[in-house]
Amino acid sequence: MSSTDIPLSSGLGALTTGNGSPVASNQTSQTAGYYGPVLIQDFHLIDKLAHFDRERIPERVVHAKGAGAHGYFEVTKDVSHLTCAKFLSEVGKRTPVFTRFSTVGGELGSADTARDPRGFAVKFYTEEGNWDMVGNNTPVFFIRDPIKFPDFIHTQKRDPRTHLKNPDMQWDFWSHVPEALHQVMILFSNRGTPVGYRHMHGYSSHTLKLVKEDGSFHYVKWHFRTDQGIKNFKASEAAQLEGANPDFATQDLMEAIERGDHPSWTVYIQVFSEQEAMQMKYNPFDVTKVVSQKDFPLHEVGRMVLNRNPENYFAEVEQAAFSPSHMVPGIAPSPDRMLQGRLFSYPDTHRHRLGANYLQLPINRPISSVANHQRDGPMCFTDNGGRRPNYEPNSFGGPAQSPHSQEIAAQFHVDGLVARHTYGITDEDFDQPRALYRLLSAEEQQDLVDNIAGNIAKAKLVFQRSILPHLKRIDSEFGARIETILKQANPEL
């Protein structure tokens, strides 16, 4: 706050306790005499301390460090032939949004310039409810089955014995789950250390559906391409900033918006039919793979602009709750296994972190009306349904199902044997990482080799040996270059 921001006089009224009673003194506690003990009857003191003790809610297990901003999404190209979603119904239509960017593995106080994927979550406040596009700044992810998500995240957190980050854990895990190496290569490229949040793309990563009124659908992948241009830090630059300014990305976003330099992203989709999905070489529901833009080019949909900073970080950024299961008519999930797991896991963690009524918080509340028979729970901010029945069907009226609003998302064919259908590791798991490596410039390849080798070198030799065959399977020259650097540091390798 600058000196010009300091008000000349207070116009905010009297200071009160939590129950609204005026506070006589906010400087001194009640005591039994000048030298006597503090009295428990001093409600203002107790109220103030007790609330202070509870100011911190549980931080997110993943995506704890983040920043956010308000803005809008505007449709720029007609996609009404693909979906009945009203916010996509016509060119020029604007929908308010709130976007939260984040790192994934670090704690709330960690550096936002660390080598890590970046969360890219957008809440669309549509007239039919909120749609949350919950993605990352990478088009793929490390794993493809949700049963492995807790295991993966544990490897990115702290060692349960030492409470230190442990390269042994991550390289041990990745050597057993080599489908992760596509994302690992992106992570250890310079795209793993973007220059703030304004200079990176965003992706749904998962395949989703756009659904028409008659229930027919197309599969889509969403792409948010930065209009500011891609900019990345070299490893040395990112490491320097971790110490010099661990809040660089947060500060960069806030200050850009404050000075009127509003960041924007042009929004595209890749579109393919159910039949085309079944004929693809790579499973489009495997989030460790991309769908070829050569075969399925990007189609422009709209533009997202962020033009307003939050007034209060806790209320608007920390309490913001995104979930892939928050969808609206015209948008539906695909059979992507990781997506299916996230449909449950995200709202479940919000209920733990924020409470059962987290959707009543202003930042999460839809602009459309909410009417159902959910009642009670901690911190209910509404009239809790008043005297209306809390069950349905009933004889007294109230919110009822809408026959005209078909559950169109559910209309697709599925059959098969109920079993644990395991993804096997095949040559196809190494095709796209190989193509990525060969797309990089010579300088980018060298940075990738140096970054990976530098991190692997921190792990025990047994884990260095276990990951090298997978790296060579991606590309023999790529693996050999990493092996050469590792042997220089550890001749016994």
Side-chain angles (χ1 to χ4, degrees), residues 194-261:
V195 176
Y197 299 128
R198 297 183 298 127
H199 295 284
M200 65 184 194
H201 296 331
Y203 304 87
S204 63
S205 302
H206 301 293
T207 296
L208 299 173
K209 291 178 185 175
L210 287 182
V211 189
K212 297 169 67 173
E213 194 71 51
D214 63 3
S216 61
F217 66 87
H218 285 80
Y219 290 117
V220 296
K221 282 183 176 283
W222 290 80
H223 299 247
F224 291 66
R225 299 180 70 85
T226 176
D227 295 328
Q228 290 69 240
I230 290 287
K231 290 184 182 180
N232 301 306
F233 288 121
K234 296 272 192 173
S236 58
E237 296 170 324
Q240 188 273 332
L241 267 177
E242 283 193 44
N245 184 1
D247 301 315
F248 169 83
T250 302
Q251 181 178 350
D252 176 73
L253 177 66
M254 181 194 70
E255 292 183 349
I257 295 174
E258 286 292 292
R259 65 175 178 263
D261 184 9

Side-chain angles (χ1 to χ4, degrees), residues 124-303:
F124 293 75
Y125 299 93
T126 88
E127 64 262 55
E128 298 179 287
N130 291 351
W131 175 46
D132 291 350
M133 199 299 298
V134 192
N136 286 323
N137 71 325
T138 58
V140 296
F141 195 60
F142 297 92
I143 54 175
R144 53 195 173 193
D145 194 300
I147 204 168
K148 299 310 299 171
F149 189 72
D151 301 295
F152 164 65
I153 292 300
H154 287 166
T155 72
Q156 307 302 298
K157 295 290 188 177
R158 297 180 180 273
D159 186 296
R161 176 176 176 268
T162 66
H163 200 58
L164 300 172
K165 295 294 183 72
N166 188 344
D168 289 349
M169 296 162 59
Q170 63 183 20
W171 291 108
D172 181 26
F173 181 81
W174 287 334
S175 70
H176 288 91
V177 188
E179 65 266 28
L181 292 178
H182 192 182
Q183 174 78 318
V184 169
M185 291 180 68
I186 298 174
L187 174 63
F188 281 92
S189 74
N190 292 331
R191 291 211 176 192
T193 49
V195 176
Y197 299 128
R198 297 183 298 127
H199 295 284
M200 65 184 194
H201 296 331
Y203 304 87
S204 63
S205 302
H206 301 293
T207 296
L208 299 173
K209 291 178 185 175
L210 287 182
V211 189
K212 297 169 67 173
E213 194 71 51
D214 63 3
S216 61
F217 66 87
H218 285 80
Y219 290 117
V220 296
K221 282 183 176 283
W222 290 80
H223 299 247
F224 291 66
R225 299 180 70 85
T226 176
D227 295 328
Q228 290 69 240
I230 290 287
K231 290 184 182 180
N232 301 306
F233 288 121
K234 296 272 192 173
S236 58
E237 296 170 324
Q240 188 273 332
L241 267 177
E242 283 193 44
N245 184 1
D247 301 315
F248 169 83
T250 302
Q251 181 178 350
D252 176 73
L253 177 66
M254 181 194 70
E255 292 183 349
I257 295 174
E258 286 292 292
R259 65 175 178 263
D261 184 9
H262 300 152
S264 64
W265 287 258
T266 302
V267 183
Y268 300 85
I269 52 174
Q270 287 176 281
V271 184
F272 47 96
S273 68
E274 185 175 23
Q275 182 179 7
E276 288 170 325
M278 296 302 101
Q279 294 173 344
M280 287 183 187
K281 178 179 180 181
Y282 304 109
N283 182 354
F285 312 124
D286 175 354
V287 75
T288 68
K289 309 286 190 298
V290 297
V291 171
S292 168
Q293 292 185 29
K294 179 180 178 182
D295 297 332
F296 299 95
L298 300 181
H299 296 278
E300 184 178 332
V301 177
R303 184 168 178 258

Side-chain angles (χ1 to χ4, degrees), residues 358-372:
Y358 73 93
L359 288 173
Q360 295 178 12
L361 291 165
I363 192 64
N364 301 320
R365 191 167 57 225
I367 59 174
S368 59
S369 62
V370 175
N372 54 45

Side-chain angles (χ1 to χ4, degrees), residues 8 15 39 67 174 193 296 343 347 355 389 408:
L8 297 178
L15 179 67
L39 301 181
W174 287 334
T193 49
F296 299 95
L343 297 178
I408 52 180

